[in-house]
Amino acid sequence: MTSEISLIQQIDALLPQTQCGLCGHRDGCLPYAKAISEGEEANKCVPGGQPVADALAALLQREYLVAEESVWPVQVDGRPQRVKAVIREDECIGCTKCISACPVDAIIGSGKLMHSILADLCTGCELCIPPCPVDCIDLVEDVQSVPVESARIVEQNDLRRRYYAHIQREEKRRINRKGPVVRAEIDTDLFARFSLQTNAVPNIEITEKPSTPTTNLDAKTTIELAKIRTQIKKLEKQLSVREDAKKRDLLNTLTAQLAQLQGA
């Protein structure tokens, strides 16, 4: 277990900690790091671009793969252009949906009051855009200079700590929360095991989920339905921000599987 965690830590350290979910792992960089350690391709980090894909290939001694393409142009460091989210504040209705969607708590505001995004903390993850009911959030290019490697590491460590603190707070609220949850279900067991390995991040508690009513479905089918629904939600969120033919095909396939299982 220790060696497994160590490998996941090394992989996670190379990921940019934008927690954007564009790799297909909606709940952040750590789950993708775990998936990579288990054999998933290491070229899916869109904001990391080719430098991260190459660094992961070197670490894991795997074949070098072309990184997933970004819609943004490439910077001088080989990574896609850094972007920030900006709220058109005169159009904001203060619904707070973007606040709970932000993985690093870069948005401030309260109910029925104007919200603002802290530009220095925003990762450009795009996760605040889909839940906004009035479409008042834009992505703009980050005009600041590209950070040197030492500054990038400091930034990544800070973003990781902020995300873990966000998870810890959100998990405590989740059971009694009213209204929609705009992020994926967090694998608290993974984050708990990982956070215990270092004092650099808050410990994540494993929160027990409320029991659900029994149905006529057998346990295996119920679990399969839950997995498919989670995948569908991830894909719908990603496609609402950026269209992708492969993901659209997968969404259609999963939707058909869900309908078939529900009708069984």
Side-chain angles (χ1 to χ4, degrees), residues 19-20 25-28 97-105 127-128 130-131 163 165-175 177 179-188 191 204 207 209 229-230 233-234 237:
Q19 320 299 347
C20 61
H25 294 270
R26 173 65 175 79
D27 47 350
K97 290 182 179 180
C98 61
I99 293 178
S100 55
C102 180
V104 293
D105 297 327
L127 295 177
C128 59
Y163 184 47
H166 175 85
I167 290 174
Q168 188 176 48
R169 186 187 67 254
E170 290 296 297
E171 284 301 308
K172 288 178 180 178
R173 293 178 179 175
R174 182 171 62 89
I175 292 178
R177 169 177 284 174
V181 177
V182 295
R183 59 154 175 77
E185 287 289 326
I186 296 295
D187 183 352
T188 27
F191 281 94
I204 308 297
T207 309
K209 300 176 183 176
R229 288 193 187 100
T230 299
K233 287 180 180 178
K234 289 180 182 179
K237 288 292 183 183

Side-chain angles (χ1 to χ4, degrees), residues 56-242:
L56 289 169
L59 170 67
L60 301 166
Q61 297 183 342
R62 294 183 187 174
E63 178 186 0
Y64 284 77
L65 301 173
V66 176
E68 289 281 346
E69 188 176 359
S70 172
V71 298
W72 299 96
V74 176
Q75 301 177 142
V76 294
D77 63 350
R79 300 180 184 223
Q81 171 68 50
R82 289 161 66 98
V83 295
K84 302 287 184 182
V86 176
I87 294 176
R88 298 195 299 278
E89 296 177 347
D90 57 334
E91 299 177 29
C92 175
I93 61 174
C95 71
T96 73
K97 290 182 179 180
C98 61
I99 293 178
S100 55
C102 180
V104 293
D105 297 327
I107 305 177
I108 56 175
S110 58
K112 299 183 180 179
L113 295 175
M114 179 184 69
H115 301 347
S116 295
I117 297 176
L118 304 175
D120 290 344
L121 297 177
C122 177
T123 67
C125 69
E126 307 180 11
L127 295 177
C128 59
I129 295 177
C132 177
V134 293
D135 193 24
C136 69
I137 303 177
D138 298 317
L139 287 177
V140 298
E141 293 188 5
D142 185 357
V143 297
Q144 298 184 40
S145 60
V146 177
V148 297
E149 190 61 24
S150 58
R152 189 190 304 280
I153 292 172
V154 171
E155 178 185 62
Q156 289 179 182
N157 290 339
D158 180 61
L159 290 173
R160 186 184 295 106
R161 285 192 292 269
R162 294 186 66 84
Y163 184 47
Y164 281 30
H166 175 85
I167 290 174
Q168 188 176 48
R169 186 187 67 254
E170 290 296 297
E171 284 301 308
K172 288 178 180 178
R173 293 178 179 175
R174 182 171 62 89
I175 292 178
N176 298 317
R177 169 177 284 174
K178 296 180 181 179
V181 177
V182 295
R183 59 154 175 77
E185 287 289 326
I186 296 295
D187 183 352
T188 27
D189 180 62
L190 171 63
F191 281 94
R193 287 188 292 120
F194 186 86
S195 66
L196 290 173
Q197 306 302 311
T198 173
N199 294 324
V201 295
N203 287 342
I204 308 297
E205 299 173 1
I206 301 177
T207 309
E208 291 190 10
K209 300 176 183 176
S211 59
T212 55
T214 58
T215 68
N216 293 327
L217 296 174
D218 60 75
K220 183 177 180 180
T221 302
T222 301
I223 293 171
E224 185 65 24
L225 282 169
K227 288 181 178 179
I228 292 175
R229 288 193 187 100
T230 299
Q231 288 178 282
I232 287 174
K233 287 180 180 178
K234 289 180 182 179
L235 288 166
E236 287 176 340
K237 288 292 183 183
Q238 292 165 13
L239 288 168
S240 69
V241 175
R242 180 184 292 111

